[in-house]
Amino acid sequence: MIKLLIPDSYYESVFFVDRNKLKDMGIKGIIIDIDNTLIPWEEKEADNKVFTFINNLIEDGFKICIISNNTKKRVDKFNEIFNLPAIHNAGKPKKSPYIKAMKLLKTNSKNTAVIGDQIFTDVLGGNRLGLYTILVNPISSKEFVWTRIVRKLEKILIKKILKEID
Ligand SMILES: [Mg+2]
């Protein structure tokens, strides 16, 4: 079980994710979370930094799909300027949204990466299917109470994880 909670890599921020490394690994598709990965939980729209980040990925040839456990309204509003394939109310860490995303991207578990800020949703879901999982620090500290409890557990796990990955 613990293995399924360990990401393949970890970055302090989504903006530090190494695109060249992903390219070299043969990653073609990127499944990405919105809340606290790209924008703070309380924000609705992408700022310039996020816009540039997503566009750089697209220019580098990556195909991107959003999967979010949040509502259609939330996902649609964020996605307005990007018009990316997107799955709302995904129910991560269920496998189904990841499988659906790979279908939309026409990629498979060998050439798809997941980027997200939560071990128990983003990373766990991706690892269950053998995708390349990337954990990033959450952008905002304003979160649901439940998420905050999970975070405490995640902090403990991250310390363990950092010892295990290179
Ligand atoms: Mg998130």
Side-chain angles (χ1 to χ4, degrees):
M1 179 64 190
I2 188 107
K3 277 233 155 97
L4 288 178
L5 296 172
I6 300 173
D8 294 298
S9 57
Y10 170 77
Y11 292 93
E12 260 182 69
S13 154
V14 71
F15 304 112
F16 298 158
V17 170
D18 187 344
R19 306 200 303 271
N20 289 326
K21 185 183 167 190
L22 294 179
K23 238 192 218 172
D24 291 345
M25 288 175 51
I27 297 294
K28 303 260 185 279
I30 294 174
I31 292 172
I32 195 159
D33 171 56
I34 298 177
D35 293 334
N36 274 335
T37 294
L38 288 170
I39 56 171
W41 184 73
E42 68 276 12
E43 293 292 329
K44 287 193 173 69
E45 291 170 40
D47 58 18
N48 277 342
K49 217 172 162 187
V50 173
F51 191 76
T52 306
F53 173 75
I54 296 284
N55 274 322
N56 285 342
L57 286 174
I58 293 168
E59 277 172 21
D60 276 356
F62 294 105
K63 290 185 281 177
I64 306 168
C65 182
I66 291 166
I67 67 175
S68 170
N69 283 356
N70 216 320
T71 60
K72 181 176 191 315
K73 192 178 164 197
R74 163 76 163 161
V75 173
D76 284 352
K77 182 73 194 158
F78 173 82
N79 196 22
E80 231 170 40
I81 49 164
F82 298 111
N83 204 22
L84 297 165
I87 298 162
H88 57 84
N89 295 110
K92 293 176 275 185
K94 283 198 292 188
K95 289 180 183 173
S96 51
Y98 297 85
I99 293 168
K100 195 174 164 191
M102 286 189 281
K103 262 188 197 154
L104 291 168
L105 296 174
K106 297 189 175 72
T107 59
N108 56 53
S109 59
K110 300 261 185 289
N111 62 15
T112 309
V114 176
I115 305 175
D117 69 308
Q118 290 203 55
I119 287 176
F120 293 102
T121 55
D122 306 299
V123 171
L124 177 58
N127 280 349
R128 290 179 74 203
L129 287 161
L131 309 193
Y132 186 78
T133 48
I134 300 166
L135 181 70
V136 297
N137 266 357
I139 284 177
S140 169
S141 54
K142 285 185 197 166
E143 293 177 303
F144 285 121
V145 176
W146 169 243
T147 309
R148 259 184 263 147
I149 295 164
V150 174
R151 291 281 179 221
K152 288 201 175 136
L153 251 169
E154 282 183 334
K155 269 193 187 153
I156 298 164
L157 275 168
I158 285 170
K159 278 188 191 156
K160 278 181 171 252
I161 286 161
L162 286 176
K163 284 181 195 159
E164 294 202 28
I165 57 177
D166 54 6

Short mmCIF file of all heavy atoms in Angstrom, two decimals, residues 52-84:
data_model
loop_
_atom_site.label_atom_id
_atom_site.label_comp_id
_atom_site.label_asym_id
_atom_site.label_seq_id
_atom_site.Cartn_x
_atom_site.Cartn_y
_atom_site.Cartn_z
N THR A 52 1.21 30.59 -18.98
CA THR A 52 2.51 30.34 -19.62
C THR A 52 2.95 28.89 -19.41
O THR A 52 3.42 28.23 -20.35
CB THR A 52 3.59 31.28 -19.03
OG1 THR A 52 3.11 32.61 -19.16
CG2 THR A 52 4.92 31.14 -19.74
N PHE A 53 2.76 28.40 -18.21
CA PHE A 53 3.14 27.02 -17.89
C PHE A 53 2.43 26.02 -18.80
O PHE A 53 3.06 25.14 -19.40
CB PHE A 53 2.82 26.73 -16.41
CG PHE A 53 3.03 25.30 -16.01
CD1 PHE A 53 4.31 24.79 -15.81
CD2 PHE A 53 1.94 24.45 -15.82
CE1 PHE A 53 4.50 23.46 -15.44
CE2 PHE A 53 2.12 23.13 -15.45
CZ PHE A 53 3.40 22.64 -15.27
N ILE A 54 1.13 26.18 -18.92
CA ILE A 54 0.34 25.26 -19.76
C ILE A 54 0.74 25.40 -21.22
O ILE A 54 0.93 24.41 -21.93
CB ILE A 54 -1.18 25.52 -19.59
CG1 ILE A 54 -1.64 25.24 -18.15
CG2 ILE A 54 -2.01 24.72 -20.61
CD1 ILE A 54 -1.78 23.79 -17.76
N ASN A 55 0.89 26.64 -21.65
CA ASN A 55 1.26 26.85 -23.06
C ASN A 55 2.64 26.31 -23.40
O ASN A 55 2.84 25.78 -24.49
CB ASN A 55 1.17 28.34 -23.42
CG ASN A 55 -0.24 28.69 -23.84
OD1 ASN A 55 -0.91 27.89 -24.50
ND2 ASN A 55 -0.72 29.85 -23.44
N ASN A 56 3.57 26.42 -22.46
CA ASN A 56 4.90 25.84 -22.68
C ASN A 56 4.81 24.33 -22.86
O ASN A 56 5.50 23.75 -23.71
CB ASN A 56 5.84 26.16 -21.52
CG ASN A 56 6.32 27.60 -21.55
OD1 ASN A 56 6.24 28.26 -22.57
ND2 ASN A 56 6.80 28.09 -20.42
N LEU A 57 3.97 23.71 -22.05
CA LEU A 57 3.80 22.26 -22.17
C LEU A 57 3.24 21.91 -23.54
O LEU A 57 3.70 20.97 -24.21
CB LEU A 57 2.85 21.73 -21.08
CG LEU A 57 3.38 21.65 -19.65
CD1 LEU A 57 2.27 21.24 -18.70
CD2 LEU A 57 4.53 20.66 -19.54
N ILE A 58 2.24 22.67 -23.96
CA ILE A 58 1.61 22.40 -25.26
C ILE A 58 2.63 22.61 -26.39
O ILE A 58 2.74 21.79 -27.31
CB ILE A 58 0.36 23.29 -25.46
CG1 ILE A 58 -0.73 22.86 -24.45
CG2 ILE A 58 -0.18 23.20 -26.89
CD1 ILE A 58 -1.90 23.82 -24.33
N GLU A 59 3.39 23.71 -26.30
CA GLU A 59 4.40 23.99 -27.33
C GLU A 59 5.48 22.91 -27.38
O GLU A 59 6.03 22.63 -28.44
CB GLU A 59 5.04 25.36 -27.09
CG GLU A 59 4.18 26.48 -27.65
CD GLU A 59 4.68 27.86 -27.26
OE1 GLU A 59 5.87 27.99 -26.90
OE2 GLU A 59 3.87 28.80 -27.31
N ASP A 60 5.73 22.31 -26.23
CA ASP A 60 6.70 21.21 -26.18
C ASP A 60 6.13 19.91 -26.73
O ASP A 60 6.83 18.89 -26.78
CB ASP A 60 7.16 20.97 -24.74
CG ASP A 60 8.28 21.92 -24.34
OD1 ASP A 60 8.73 22.69 -25.21
OD2 ASP A 60 8.70 21.89 -23.18
N GLY A 61 4.87 19.93 -27.09
CA GLY A 61 4.26 18.76 -27.72
C GLY A 61 3.51 17.83 -26.78
O GLY A 61 3.03 16.78 -27.20
N PHE A 62 3.41 18.22 -25.50
CA PHE A 62 2.65 17.38 -24.57
C PHE A 62 1.15 17.59 -24.79
O PHE A 62 0.71 18.70 -25.07
CB PHE A 62 2.97 17.75 -23.11
CG PHE A 62 4.37 17.45 -22.70
CD1 PHE A 62 5.30 18.48 -22.55
CD2 PHE A 62 4.78 16.15 -22.47
CE1 PHE A 62 6.61 18.22 -22.16
CE2 PHE A 62 6.09 15.87 -22.09
CZ PHE A 62 7.00 16.91 -21.94
N LYS A 63 0.42 16.50 -24.63
CA LYS A 63 -1.04 16.61 -24.64
C LYS A 63 -1.49 16.62 -23.19
O LYS A 63 -0.96 15.88 -22.35
CB LYS A 63 -1.65 15.44 -25.40
CG LYS A 63 -1.38 15.55 -26.90
CD LYS A 63 -2.08 14.48 -27.69
CE LYS A 63 -1.32 13.17 -27.60
NZ LYS A 63 -2.00 12.07 -28.30
N ILE A 64 -2.44 17.48 -22.89
CA ILE A 64 -2.82 17.68 -21.49
C ILE A 64 -4.30 17.43 -21.28
O ILE A 64 -5.14 17.85 -22.08
CB ILE A 64 -2.51 19.14 -21.05
CG1 ILE A 64 -1.05 19.47 -21.34
CG2 ILE A 64 -2.83 19.35 -19.58
CD1 ILE A 64 -0.74 20.95 -21.20
N CYS A 65 -4.60 16.74 -20.19
CA CYS A 65 -5.99 16.56 -19.78
C CYS A 65 -6.11 16.94 -18.31
O CYS A 65 -5.28 16.56 -17.49
CB CYS A 65 -6.41 15.10 -19.98
SG CYS A 65 -8.14 14.76 -19.56
N ILE A 66 -7.14 17.71 -18.01
CA ILE A 66 -7.41 18.08 -16.62
C ILE A 66 -8.26 16.99 -15.99
O ILE A 66 -9.23 16.54 -16.61
CB ILE A 66 -8.21 19.40 -16.58
CG1 ILE A 66 -7.35 20.58 -17.05
CG2 ILE A 66 -8.81 19.66 -15.20
CD1 ILE A 66 -8.14 21.83 -17.36
N ILE A 67 -7.89 16.52 -14.81
CA ILE A 67 -8.90 15.77 -14.06
C ILE A 67 -9.01 16.36 -12.66
O ILE A 67 -8.03 16.60 -11.97
CB ILE A 67 -8.72 14.23 -14.05
CG1 ILE A 67 -7.50 13.76 -13.29
CG2 ILE A 67 -8.74 13.61 -15.40
CD1 ILE A 67 -7.47 12.23 -13.22
N SER A 68 -10.26 16.65 -12.30
CA SER A 68 -10.51 17.34 -11.04
C SER A 68 -11.67 16.67 -10.31
O SER A 68 -12.64 16.25 -10.93
CB SER A 68 -10.86 18.80 -11.34
OG SER A 68 -11.33 19.43 -10.16
N ASN A 69 -11.53 16.61 -8.99
CA ASN A 69 -12.64 16.11 -8.19
C ASN A 69 -13.68 17.21 -7.95
O ASN A 69 -14.69 16.98 -7.31
CB ASN A 69 -12.13 15.56 -6.86
CG ASN A 69 -11.50 14.19 -7.00
OD1 ASN A 69 -11.51 13.62 -8.09
ND2 ASN A 69 -10.94 13.67 -5.93
N ASN A 70 -13.38 18.39 -8.44
CA ASN A 70 -14.30 19.51 -8.25
C ASN A 70 -15.42 19.50 -9.30
O ASN A 70 -15.45 18.66 -10.19
CB ASN A 70 -13.50 20.83 -8.30
CG ASN A 70 -14.06 21.86 -7.31
OD1 ASN A 70 -15.28 21.98 -7.16
ND2 ASN A 70 -13.18 22.57 -6.65
N THR A 71 -16.31 20.47 -9.19
CA THR A 71 -17.55 20.50 -10.01
C THR A 71 -17.29 20.90 -11.46
O THR A 71 -16.25 21.47 -11.79
CB THR A 71 -18.52 21.53 -9.42
OG1 THR A 71 -17.87 22.81 -9.45
CG2 THR A 71 -18.92 21.19 -8.00
N LYS A 72 -18.28 20.64 -12.28
CA LYS A 72 -18.24 21.01 -13.69
C LYS A 72 -18.06 22.53 -13.82
O LYS A 72 -17.26 23.00 -14.63
CB LYS A 72 -19.54 20.57 -14.38
CG LYS A 72 -19.60 20.90 -15.86
CD LYS A 72 -20.88 20.35 -16.49
CE LYS A 72 -20.87 20.40 -18.01
NZ LYS A 72 -20.40 21.62 -18.64
N LYS A 73 -18.79 23.27 -12.99
CA LYS A 73 -18.74 24.73 -13.04
C LYS A 73 -17.31 25.23 -12.80
O LYS A 73 -16.80 26.07 -13.54
CB LYS A 73 -19.68 25.28 -11.96
CG LYS A 73 -19.96 26.75 -12.07
CD LYS A 73 -20.93 27.19 -10.98
CE LYS A 73 -20.89 28.70 -10.87
NZ LYS A 73 -21.47 29.18 -9.62
N ARG A 74 -16.69 24.68 -11.78
CA ARG A 74 -15.33 25.05 -11.42
C ARG A 74 -14.33 24.71 -12.55
O ARG A 74 -13.51 25.52 -12.94
CB ARG A 74 -14.95 24.30 -10.13
CG ARG A 74 -13.47 24.23 -9.81
CD ARG A 74 -12.96 25.51 -9.27
NE ARG A 74 -11.67 25.37 -8.59
CZ ARG A 74 -10.87 26.39 -8.37
NH1 ARG A 74 -11.21 27.59 -8.77
NH2 ARG A 74 -9.72 26.22 -7.74
N VAL A 75 -14.46 23.51 -13.06
CA VAL A 75 -13.53 23.04 -14.09
C VAL A 75 -13.74 23.84 -15.39
O VAL A 75 -12.78 24.30 -16.00
CB VAL A 75 -13.69 21.52 -14.34
CG1 VAL A 75 -12.84 21.06 -15.52
CG2 VAL A 75 -13.30 20.74 -13.08
N ASP A 76 -14.99 24.03 -15.77
CA ASP A 76 -15.30 24.78 -17.01
C ASP A 76 -14.76 26.20 -16.94
O ASP A 76 -14.21 26.71 -17.92
CB ASP A 76 -16.81 24.82 -17.26
CG ASP A 76 -17.33 23.49 -17.80
OD1 ASP A 76 -16.49 22.61 -18.11
OD2 ASP A 76 -18.56 23.33 -17.90
N LYS A 77 -14.94 26.84 -15.79
CA LYS A 77 -14.49 28.23 -15.64
C LYS A 77 -12.97 28.31 -15.81
O LYS A 77 -12.46 29.15 -16.55
CB LYS A 77 -14.90 28.76 -14.25
CG LYS A 77 -14.53 30.19 -13.99
CD LYS A 77 -15.42 31.13 -14.77
CE LYS A 77 -14.85 32.55 -14.79
NZ LYS A 77 -15.38 33.33 -15.91
N PHE A 78 -12.26 27.41 -15.15
CA PHE A 78 -10.81 27.40 -15.26
C PHE A 78 -10.38 27.11 -16.68
O PHE A 78 -9.45 27.71 -17.22
CB PHE A 78 -10.21 26.34 -14.32
CG PHE A 78 -8.73 26.15 -14.50
CD1 PHE A 78 -7.83 27.03 -13.90
CD2 PHE A 78 -8.23 25.13 -15.30
CE1 PHE A 78 -6.46 26.87 -14.10
CE2 PHE A 78 -6.87 24.97 -15.49
CZ PHE A 78 -5.98 25.85 -14.88
N ASN A 79 -11.08 26.19 -17.31
CA ASN A 79 -10.67 25.66 -18.62
C ASN A 79 -11.09 26.55 -19.79
O ASN A 79 -10.70 26.29 -20.92
CB ASN A 79 -11.25 24.25 -18.78
CG ASN A 79 -10.59 23.45 -19.89
OD1 ASN A 79 -9.46 23.75 -20.30
ND2 ASN A 79 -11.31 22.47 -20.41
N GLU A 80 -11.88 27.59 -19.49
CA GLU A 80 -12.38 28.48 -20.54
C GLU A 80 -11.29 28.95 -21.51
O GLU A 80 -11.43 28.84 -22.72
CB GLU A 80 -13.01 29.72 -19.88
CG GLU A 80 -14.40 30.04 -20.35
CD GLU A 80 -15.02 31.12 -19.46
OE1 GLU A 80 -14.29 32.07 -19.07
OE2 GLU A 80 -16.20 30.99 -19.13
N ILE A 81 -10.18 29.41 -20.94
CA ILE A 81 -9.13 29.96 -21.81
C ILE A 81 -8.25 28.87 -22.44
O ILE A 81 -7.57 29.13 -23.42
CB ILE A 81 -8.19 30.97 -21.10
CG1 ILE A 81 -7.70 30.42 -19.77
CG2 ILE A 81 -8.84 32.32 -20.96
CD1 ILE A 81 -6.51 31.20 -19.23
N PHE A 82 -8.28 27.66 -21.88
CA PHE A 82 -7.41 26.61 -22.39
C PHE A 82 -8.11 25.67 -23.36
O PHE A 82 -7.52 25.20 -24.33
CB PHE A 82 -6.82 25.79 -21.24
CG PHE A 82 -5.97 26.57 -20.30
CD1 PHE A 82 -6.40 26.83 -19.00
CD2 PHE A 82 -4.75 27.07 -20.70
CE1 PHE A 82 -5.61 27.56 -18.13
CE2 PHE A 82 -3.95 27.80 -19.84
CZ PHE A 82 -4.39 28.04 -18.54
N ASN A 83 -9.38 25.40 -23.01
CA ASN A 83 -10.15 24.44 -23.81
C ASN A 83 -9.45 23.08 -23.95
O ASN A 83 -9.39 22.50 -25.04
CB ASN A 83 -10.47 25.06 -25.18
CG ASN A 83 -11.69 24.44 -25.80
OD1 ASN A 83 -12.52 23.86 -25.10
ND2 ASN A 83 -11.79 24.51 -27.12
N LEU A 84 -8.96 22.60 -22.83
CA LEU A 84 -8.30 21.29 -22.79
C LEU A 84 -9.35 20.21 -22.55
O LEU A 84 -10.42 20.50 -22.03
CB LEU A 84 -7.30 21.26 -21.63
CG LEU A 84 -6.12 22.22 -21.67
CD1 LEU A 84 -5.46 22.30 -20.30
CD2 LEU A 84 -5.12 21.79 -22.74
#
